[in-house]
Amino acid sequence: MKPRRNPLGRSTARVTALAFGAAGIGNLFTPVTDEQAEQAVTAAWESAVRYFDTAPHYGLGLSERRLGEALRAFPREQYTISTKVGRLLEPAPSGGGDDLAHGFAVPSTHHRVWDFSAQGVRRSIEDSLNRLGLDRIDIAYLHDPDDHADQALTEAYPELERLRAEGVLGAIGVGMNQAELPARFIRETDLDVVLLAGRYSLLDQRGLAELLPLAHRRGVGVVIGGVFNSGLLADPRPGATFDYTAAPADLLAGATDLKAVCERHGVPLRAAALRFPFGHPAVTSVLVGTRSAGEVRDAAAMLQHPVPAALWAEFKERGLLSADVPTPEEVS
């Protein structure tokens, strides 16, 4: 399968429609072996995925180390890699314990320190380059600056601009689980990309209120994460999670109705959920967190699954999507 790499906003970075989210190979919730992590990355490559996203936060650097090691088997100029700044990793006193309080099944060898200062950003990038084994990073995201907006805007962002001018970075972005603050970044900076997690899915279109139209007007690329809303749209059933907590009854009912429509059209709900964001012209890539070769292959197959226009029309007829929500016409 030949990869198709899409422009990312006005930057020189190119991304594939499907992106590999590497939190899983950082032992998100449960352990993954080095071999399983390598197999997942290899399966992504074989599925024509050429965009890989990681962060120091994921497994206290384990995700970056594993991803860098696995990608050394492939030509550097053929893939795009992104990581994030905002959390520095400081050595923790030895004393055992794990990092499960932060969601990762790894030893608590380090602790995270929020730091959106210019010095902190430069150190974070240097540390990430060392863990990845690279001399440049294609995209650097400000990671969850929700409670640090002013410092991120006045200190972290200008330092990322300097690093971009030095050629250490190819593009600058912000990655968040909300739509309001990224819109402010677009208005006040020269961002290349926004990574929006969970706020533009079949169940949650808050990104459409301002962020997506603004990004489109300004030429800012948008990468959508969390299209399954942490599981509910992958398998809607009692006990399924929405944004990592038990799904409320109304959202579970909505997801169940979406699944029923999909089944009438012979389309897996996962396929509709993956394809949905591409209805908006600002969206260039969908990032899926995967931890095994099987999950990677399933995501690639679901994105290629035909989704008829009649399915989107029935979603709207039944009030499962608003009439003004843009939907894809066909799988490209």
Side-chain angles (χ1 to χ4, degrees):
M1 185 186 305
K2 184 178 180 180
R4 175 181 174 183
R5 301 175 71 189
N6 305 317
L8 190 61
R10 301 178 303 273
S11 77
T12 58
R14 297 291 183 269
V15 296
T16 44
L18 181 62
F20 180 99
I25 65 170
N27 289 8
L28 180 64
F29 304 131
T30 56
V32 171
T33 67
D34 290 344
E35 182 181 14
Q36 288 169 329
E38 183 179 3
Q39 290 171 349
V41 174
T42 300
W45 193 272
E46 292 171 348
S47 300
V49 173
R50 296 293 184 270
Y51 174 31
F52 300 84
D53 174 73
T54 183
H57 171 55
Y58 302 156
L60 295 173
L62 179 63
S63 173
E64 287 184 319
R65 290 192 295 273
R66 281 176 164 171
L67 184 61
E69 179 66 28
L71 286 174
R72 274 192 272 285
F74 307 108
R76 177 64 182 94
E77 68 277 5
Q78 292 186 21
Y79 64 83
T80 296
I81 194 164
S82 60
T83 191
K84 305 179 181 75
V85 301
R87 293 172 173 92
L88 292 175
L89 303 181
E90 299 287 359
S94 58
D98 57 44
D99 191 52
L100 283 171
H102 295 96
F104 294 92
V106 296
S108 55
T109 56
H110 292 73
H111 64 270
R112 299 166 181 83
V113 177
W114 288 103
D115 193 334
F116 287 94
S117 69
Q119 182 180 6
V121 163
R122 189 165 287 265
R123 180 189 147 188
S124 182
I125 292 295
E126 290 172 354
D127 289 349
S128 289
L129 288 169
N130 287 331
R131 285 188 291 264
L132 289 163
L134 299 174
D135 61 2
R136 63 181 170 85
I137 290 167
D138 300 297
I139 306 165
Y141 291 108
L142 297 159
H143 197 187
D144 297 335
D146 304 66
D147 299 324
H148 311 271
D150 290 339
Q151 188 181 36
L153 280 162
T154 61
E155 298 182 40
Y157 172 78
E159 188 66 17
L160 289 178
E161 275 201 335
R162 285 187 281 272
L163 287 162
R164 182 173 61 183
E166 293 169 16
V168 177
L169 306 177
I172 300 171
V174 60
M176 302 187 70
N177 296 287
Q178 58 151 299
E180 294 76 21
L181 187 53
R184 179 184 172 190
F185 273 89
I186 293 176
R187 290 192 301 269
E188 298 182 17
T189 72
D190 187 29
L191 281 184
D192 299 300
V193 55
V194 169
L195 170 53
L196 180 65
R199 302 288 79 90
Y200 196 60
S201 73
L202 286 173
L203 285 174
D204 188 333
Q205 291 104 51
R206 276 176 276 181
L208 193 58
E210 179 186 16
L211 176 60
L212 287 169
L214 179 62
H216 185 51
R217 289 197 303 272
R218 297 287 184 90
V220 174
V222 178
V223 176
I224 298 295
V227 291
F228 301 134
N229 288 120
S230 83
L232 183 56
L233 283 171
D235 183 16
R237 53 179 172 73
T241 57
F242 178 87
D243 287 358
Y244 302 102
T245 61
D250 60 331
L251 288 178
L252 176 58
T256 302
D257 290 343
L258 288 165
K259 182 180 180 181
V261 173
C262 286
E263 288 176 344
R264 282 197 289 276
H265 291 271
V267 176
L269 177 58
R270 301 190 310 286
L274 276 165
R275 192 64 196 167
F276 166 72
F278 292 103
H280 198 284
V283 175
T284 58
S285 184
V286 167
L287 188 151
V288 180
T290 46
R291 59 193 298 117
S292 70
E295 289 181 358
V296 171
R297 294 188 187 106
D298 178 75
M302 290 299 99
L303 187 56
Q304 292 301 314
H305 196 290
V307 181
L311 180 143
W312 308 116
E314 186 171 348
F315 280 170
K316 293 184 176 184
E317 289 166 4
R318 295 180 176 275
L320 299 171
L321 283 178
S322 297
D324 59 348
V325 173
T327 53
E329 293 303 319
E330 60 184 3
V331 175
S332 61

